[in-house]
Amino acid sequence: MSLPSILSRVAARARFLSVATAGAYAAINLLLALLAPFTQGWPTLGVTAVAVPPMVLAMVYGVIPIAFRFGSPR
């Protein structure tokens, strides 16, 4: 494997990581903001139990496909 090929793969993984991290951060904060009026006063474990299923769906069908699109080697 040549050096440019290795550098391209490292850059692609770094792009994937940065897009996935930014997307996950935005998705969880938006989700928690939407749930806040309904879960006010709930314990943390209760809020987490309600937030995890839509977060997984957002990651699987939204954030990860977008991250793959921007993170693929060019």
Side-chain angles (χ1 to χ4, degrees):
M1 199 175 268
S2 66
L3 183 61
S5 170
I6 292 170
L7 291 176
S8 174
R9 294 186 87 201
V10 169
R13 290 181 182 188
R15 278 193 308 272
F16 175 83
L17 177 64
S18 61
V19 172
T21 300
Y25 179 80
I28 194 65
N29 279 302
L30 177 64
L31 181 61
L32 290 174
L34 292 173
L35 289 175
F38 306 107
T39 59
Q40 190 172 8
W42 287 22
T44 302
L45 292 176
V47 176
T48 304
V50 172
V52 166
M55 182 62 188
V56 169
L57 290 174
M59 291 296 295
V60 169
Y61 293 109
V63 174
I64 293 173
I66 291 169
F68 272 127
R69 189 175 314 143
F70 288 106
S72 62
R74 296 177 182 171

